[in-house]
Amino acid sequence: MITQATCQQLDQQDPLAPIREQFNLPPNVIYLDGNSLGAQPKAAIQRAQQVIEQEWGDKLIGSWNSAGWFDLPSRLGDLLAPLIGAKSSEVVLTDSTSINLFKTLAAGLKIQAEKHPQRKVIVTERINFPTDLYMIQGITEWLNQGYQLQLIDTTEELYTAINDDTALVLLTQVNYRTGELLDMQALTAHAHKHDVLTIWDLCHSAGAVPIDLNGCNADFAVGCTYKYLNGGPGAPAFIWIAERHQTAFTHPLSGWWGHNAPFAMQAEFTPTKTIRRALCGTQPIVSLALVEVGLSTFEQTNINAVRGKSLALTDLFIALVAQECGTHGLSLVTPTEHAKRGSHVSYMHPHAYPIIQALIKRGVIGDYREPQVARFGFTPLYTSYMDVWNAVQALKHILDNNDYEIHAPRNAVT
Amino acid sequence: MITQATCQQLDQQDPLAPIREQFNLPPNVIYLDGNSLGAQPKAAIQRAQQVIEQEWGDKLIGSWNSAGWFDLPSRLGDLLAPLIGAKSSEVVLTDSTSINLFKTLAAGLKIQAEKHPQRKVIVTERINFPTDLYMIQGITEWLNQGYQLQLIDTTEELYTAINDDTALVLLTQVNYRTGELLDMQALTAHAHKHDVLTIWDLCHSAGAVPIDLNGCNADFAVGCTYKYLNGGPGAPAFIWIAERHQTAFTHPLSGWWGHNAPFAMQAEFTPTKTIRRALCGTQPIVSLALVEVGLSTFEQTNINAVRGKSLALTDLFIALVAQECGTHGLSLVTPTEHAKRGSHVSYMHPHAYPIIQALIKRGVIGDYREPQVARFGFTPLYTSYMDVWNAVQALKHILDNNDYEIHAPRNAVT
């Protein structure tokens, strides 16, 4: 039997607990949606003032050099690198996840077209986040060279689907809906056995799960910075290219920021030899600068400590829901095995949408995902064990009393 | 003879003069680089606080709907529309200019490939901003379908170069280096006579020159918001698609924001029928929201009043430089004819780079562009006639006294 006292004690013993104070969290809200939009670090407002008033306002055009605006994509890449097992020369922050997916797909197809021109299949999971599917669909239809998108239904089937006919495999490490964590090491090794290039989407894992891109010998990766990395709404994404692929990494988004000599104003595009060849056009500096604040928070701890608390929080939530709401028809979607779980927990329920709405009304913010999925994210930097207790009590109250109005889902954002 | 008193009088009679107070301009600085990075509207800081503390911090994930984050690209497009002669349903703010160029190039090539499969030439000017050339180069090389980039050396030659072999023409309305303003009406009409689709890059004209995209019957346009529109460093760009082309506008950057039902999480990409099909992934909300502040400034005046003052400022600058610095070897690059001039003025000089550095040291911020070009931008919302007087006096002092150190150019940003 887990009690409120158990949760209070866990908070008292939690070495990460003090970090919560660095976030602006509204009173009377239990925020279990940091897997969709990370909370606001208090320091973000000072950084915004600095960028807007001092860098933009006072120093004007000079800030491209003096405030290091032009170098921000690589400087923030250096800050992110340790969280994803990257070298600092391998990752930049830029553009959106979708755009970065396009770059990796384009570069990957090009490399494979030269090596294995007969390979026409791009493998991914049917339950991958839709934009991943759409970007594959976009590039294959547009190229019109016989490329096919192959959608796989189970993790096990991935191992047979990835074979000598496969050009690329694009996988999201933690699924946005189920919370399942894929085995990056094993899947990458399997892909490489068949000379298949891997693109890893880290949107739902970066900042929550220890990632070792180089340890796994991965090829390319992308991800967003506005979920567990707390970079701010829609903050620029990242793109990682393994060092060994950088010379061959070519894509058609050859904007001037990826040029070898961007200020020489040459008529001919010559890509830089560095990771900056993944850049395209001018970046949104205010949004980009704010990511630094989110990333800096991680310097006070380490990703293994974050992962430890994440597993403790999700374990606790699963156990408490079973204990308190066990008879109410919630069906756990997320794997219980630690090695297969990210940092959010999902349940199916025929009334998942109205239940989530009722929870939000009571200050417990989770979210709804089609079809019939109630999703709860646990962000160790600012979620407490008592948050878990209180959230489950609210859920129990709603379910015990049928305290929700049944109606159809409205829009929500990942 | 133009005197200081003339300039003072012009300021006293200037109906736009009071708007300058709404910008954060450092004391003792004459800012003639708003054509590269527009100055900071004072209201930007309050808007940033609102987005960061209230929308992100307090309302968290709910702000995607309640603060209208998801609708920002189209809402800001509506604000921009009157400045460029667009309908509000034709323009969105999103991504970078380079990325938006790619979308228009991809869509344009696709339309023409179906209509005129033998046409393989994309025409542009050799002196176009490099990223425009690079994006054409990127898409043609990557497609590897025989497309060629044709670089034209003079405006007159454009009329012969754009012919029945041409698929697309990509032109920048105001050249970043020379300040020359192209005749959008005539060039578009000429292109259409040959069934050529036009892409207009409005980076150096939007917010400075009255633009009538629909009046010119243009096809596609892109542009940035951080120059004359004062949206902030690297703020998201815009993309305009003439209504008649929207159904046929397809591009491979088919991210979820362009989906017909983005929240239904469907596996299949079905583009929305609206201008939002030009969107791809999640947008950087803080940077995007700040563009509203820059655009709102224009609601206090109208683009014709802005243009009138712009021409008066550039006329005055050209006349004063001739009067005060006439013997110092400055060679005017910018056309003197009003119909051919944007809102910046450029001179060639063998020591253009050190001269610009010496001006900056004295608080007069212009910029240098390869090769040997000193460039001065005039932004009617906050540049005064006395700014022009003082800038020319500083230039005169530097030239009269050879008060600059000759050295090679360093990096700068457009």
Side-chain angles (χ1 to χ4, degrees):
Chain A
M1 183 81 181
I2 306 161
T3 64
Q4 185 170 359
T6 320
C7 298
Q8 284 167 331
Q9 205 184 351
L10 286 167
D11 279 329
Q12 281 156 16
Q13 296 163 351
D14 172 19
L16 297 186
I19 296 179
R20 181 186 174 103
E21 281 312 302
Q22 297 169 32
F23 289 87
N24 174 17
L25 287 163
N28 308 319
V29 160
I30 296 170
Y31 191 56
L32 302 184
D33 213 0
N35 54 315
S36 186
L37 173 65
Q40 182 227 315
K42 288 177 182 167
I45 194 70
Q46 285 79 32
R47 182 74 179 110
Q49 278 168 333
Q50 187 186 26
V51 176
I52 294 171
E53 293 193 314
Q54 291 161 42
E55 295 175 11
W56 176 17
D58 295 346
K59 299 294 177 186
L60 292 152
I61 191 70
S63 285
W64 281 109
N65 295 321
S66 66
W69 286 351
F70 191 70
D71 294 328
L72 266 180
S74 13
R75 193 147 47 84
L76 297 187
D78 293 353
L79 260 183
L80 172 67
L83 292 177
I84 58 171
K87 297 182 195 171
S88 62
S89 57
E90 290 176 326
V91 57
V92 279
L93 267 72
T94 190
D95 295 331
S96 67
T97 302
S98 299
I99 300 282
N100 290 338
L101 277 171
F102 177 80
K103 296 171 192 164
T104 58
L105 288 165
L109 286 181
K110 178 92 171 182
I111 293 171
Q112 290 293 57
E114 283 170 19
K115 219 172 162 188
H116 303 292
Q118 80 291 0
R119 296 193 181 195
K120 295 293 184 186
V121 179
I122 305 174
V123 167
T124 191
E125 291 189 287
R126 188 180 303 278
I127 56 164
N128 201 343
F129 187 71
T131 220
D132 296 64
L133 309 188
Y134 302 160
M135 295 312 294
I136 300 175
Q137 206 179 313
I139 201 167
T140 55
E141 283 182 11
W142 193 67
L143 276 175
N144 196 22
Q145 291 170 14
Y147 287 109
Q148 302 164 36
L149 165 59
Q150 191 181 350
L151 298 176
I152 306 305
D153 286 308
T154 68
T155 310
E156 294 68 39
E157 285 173 72
L158 277 173
Y159 288 90
T160 46
I162 300 168
N163 57 42
D164 293 346
D165 295 326
T166 315
L168 306 177
V169 55
L170 162 55
L171 295 171
T172 296
Q173 194 183 14
V174 172
N175 185 269
Y176 79 101
R177 206 163 57 82
T178 64
E180 182 177 354
L181 170 66
L182 295 183
D183 186 337
M184 181 187 283
Q185 179 91 55
L187 282 160
T188 303
H190 175 80
H192 286 180
K193 247 191 279 174
H194 296 276
D195 216 8
V196 174
L197 290 174
T198 56
I199 303 169
W200 285 97
D201 179 338
L202 309 178
C203 279
H204 283 270
S205 48
V209 171
I211 299 168
D212 192 2
L213 287 168
N214 278 315
C216 293
N217 201 27
D219 301 292
F220 312 118
V222 301
C224 84
T225 62
Y226 53 77
K227 298 180 187 288
Y228 296 105
L229 298 173
N230 307 310
F238 62 87
I239 177 167
W240 172 84
I241 310 169
E243 213 170 46
R244 67 184 179 283
H245 290 307
Q246 285 183 10
T247 317
F249 194 90
T250 56
H251 59 90
L253 301 180
S254 47
W256 71 301
W257 277 42
H259 197 284
N260 190 34
F263 304 102
M265 304 286 159
Q266 296 164 357
E268 186 88 10
F269 183 75
T270 315
T272 166
K273 294 203 170 82
T274 74
I275 180 66
R276 290 180 72 97
R277 61 166 55 207
L279 303 181
C280 179
T282 306
Q283 292 302 297
I285 294 302
V286 181
S287 282
L288 189 55
L290 294 182
V291 181
E292 185 164 2
V293 180
L295 289 175
S296 300
T297 319
F298 286 88
E299 294 183 325
Q300 302 163 48
T301 174
N302 67 76
I303 193 66
N304 292 317
V306 170
R307 174 64 170 166
K309 183 174 172 190
S310 160
L311 287 170
L313 288 166
T314 50
D315 275 345
L316 177 66
F317 185 73
I318 292 168
L320 271 175
V321 169
Q323 175 183 304
E324 305 286 312
C325 318
T327 58
H328 288 298
L330 287 165
S331 162
L332 182 65
V333 172
T334 306
T336 50
E337 198 181 322
H338 282 184
K340 293 188 175 170
R341 192 199 308 157
S343 201
H344 65 272
V345 176
S346 298
Y347 292 90
M348 287 199 85
H349 190 283
H351 301 146
Y353 182 74
I355 290 168
I356 284 291
Q357 296 307 306
L359 279 168
I360 291 171
K361 233 188 213 167
R362 302 179 79 88
V364 179
I365 304 182
D367 65 22
Y368 171 79
R369 281 297 168 271
E370 290 286 355
Q372 301 190 345
V373 166
R375 190 174 74 154
F376 304 92
F378 300 87
T379 40
L381 295 182
Y382 53 79
T383 306
S384 71
Y385 296 93
M386 272 305 292
D387 282 343
V388 175
W389 174 264
N390 289 323
V392 175
Q393 290 307 306
L395 182 61
K396 174 183 165 58
H397 171 88
I398 289 164
L399 291 169
D400 283 351
N401 300 284
N402 287 316
D403 191 12
Y404 53 85
E405 285 172 44
I406 296 168
H407 53 89
R410 272 192 57 228
N411 287 351
V413 174
T414 177
Chain B
M1 182 81 179
I2 306 161
T3 65
Q4 185 170 359
T6 321
C7 298
Q8 283 166 333
Q9 205 184 349
L10 286 167
D11 279 330
Q12 280 157 17
Q13 296 163 351
D14 174 17
L16 298 186
I19 297 179
R20 180 185 173 105
E21 281 310 303
Q22 297 168 33
F23 289 87
N24 175 16
L25 288 163
N28 307 318
V29 160
I30 295 171
Y31 190 56
L32 302 183
D33 213 0
N35 55 315
S36 185
L37 173 65
Q40 183 227 315
K42 288 176 182 166
I45 194 71
Q46 285 79 30
R47 183 72 179 113
Q49 277 167 335
Q50 188 186 25
V51 176
I52 294 171
E53 293 193 314
Q54 291 161 42
E55 297 176 10
W56 176 18
D58 295 346
K59 300 293 179 188
L60 291 152
I61 189 71
S63 285
W64 281 108
N65 296 319
S66 65
W69 287 349
F70 190 70
D71 295 327
L72 266 180
S74 12
R75 194 146 48 83
L76 298 187
D78 293 353
L79 260 183
L80 172 66
L83 292 176
I84 58 172
K87 298 183 194 169
S88 63
S89 57
E90 291 177 324
V91 57
V92 279
L93 267 72
T94 189
D95 296 332
S96 66
T97 302
S98 299
I99 300 281
N100 290 337
L101 277 171
F102 177 80
K103 296 171 192 165
T104 58
L105 288 165
L109 286 181
K110 178 93 172 183
I111 293 171
Q112 291 292 58
E114 283 170 19
K115 219 172 162 187
H116 303 292
Q118 80 291 357
R119 296 192 180 196
K120 295 294 185 187
V121 178
I122 306 174
V123 166
T124 191
E125 291 189 288
R126 189 181 302 280
I127 57 163
N128 202 343
F129 187 70
T131 219
D132 297 64
L133 310 189
Y134 302 160
M135 295 311 294
I136 300 175
Q137 206 178 313
I139 201 167
T140 55
E141 283 183 10
W142 193 68
L143 275 175
N144 196 22
Q145 290 170 15
Y147 287 109
Q148 302 164 36
L149 165 60
Q150 192 182 349
L151 297 177
I152 307 304
D153 286 309
T154 69
T155 310
E156 294 67 39
E157 285 174 72
L158 278 173
Y159 287 90
T160 45
I162 300 169
N163 57 41
D164 292 346
D165 295 326
T166 316
L168 306 177
V169 55
L170 162 56
L171 296 171
T172 296
Q173 195 184 13
V174 172
N175 185 270
Y176 79 102
R177 206 162 57 83
T178 65
E180 181 177 355
L181 169 66
L182 295 183
D183 187 337
M184 182 187 282
Q185 180 91 54
L187 282 160
T188 303
H190 175 80
H192 286 181
K193 246 189 280 175
H194 296 277
D195 216 9
V196 174
L197 291 174
T198 55
I199 303 169
W200 284 98
D201 178 338
L202 310 177
C203 280
H204 283 269
S205 48
V209 172
I211 300 169
D212 192 1
L213 287 168
N214 279 314
C216 294
N217 200 27
D219 301 291
F220 313 116
V222 302
C224 84
T225 63
Y226 51 78
K227 297 181 188 286
Y228 296 104
L229 299 173
N230 307 310
F238 62 86
I239 176 166
W240 172 85
I241 310 170
E243 215 169 46
R244 67 184 180 283
H245 290 308
Q246 285 183 11
T247 317
F249 194 90
T250 56
H251 60 89
L253 300 180
S254 48
W256 72 299
W257 276 43
H259 197 283
N260 191 34
F263 305 102
M265 304 285 158
Q266 296 163 357
E268 188 88 10
F269 183 75
T270 314
T272 167
K273 294 201 169 85
T274 74
I275 180 65
R276 289 180 71 97
R277 61 167 56 208
L279 303 181
C280 179
T282 306
Q283 291 303 297
I285 294 302
V286 181
S287 282
L288 189 55
L290 294 182
V291 181
E292 186 164 1
V293 180
L295 289 175
S296 301
T297 318
F298 286 87
E299 294 183 326
Q300 302 163 49
T301 177
N302 66 76
I303 193 69
N304 292 317
V306 169
R307 174 65 171 165
K309 183 174 172 189
S310 160
L311 287 170
L313 288 167
T314 49
D315 275 346
L316 177 66
F317 185 73
I318 292 168
L320 271 175
V321 169
Q323 174 183 303
E324 305 285 313
C325 318
T327 57
H328 288 297
L330 287 166
S331 161
L332 182 64
V333 172
T334 306
T336 50
E337 198 181 322
H338 281 184
K340 293 189 176 172
R341 192 199 307 156
S343 202
H344 65 272
V345 176
S346 298
Y347 292 90
M348 287 199 85
H349 190 284
H351 301 147
Y353 182 74
I355 290 168
I356 283 291
Q357 295 309 306
L359 279 167
I360 292 172
K361 232 188 213 166
R362 301 179 80 88
V364 178
I365 304 182
D367 63 21
Y368 172 78
R369 283 297 167 271
E370 289 288 353
Q372 301 191 346
V373 166
R375 190 174 74 156
F376 304 93
F378 300 87
T379 42
L381 295 182
Y382 53 79
T383 306
S384 70
Y385 296 92
M386 272 304 293
D387 282 344
V388 175
W389 174 266
N390 289 323
V392 175
Q393 289 309 307
L395 181 61
K396 175 183 164 60
H397 171 89
I398 288 164
L399 291 169
D400 283 350
N401 300 284
N402 287 315
D403 192 12
Y404 51 86
E405 286 171 43
I406 296 167
H407 53 88
R410 270 192 58 228
N411 287 352
V413 173
T414 176

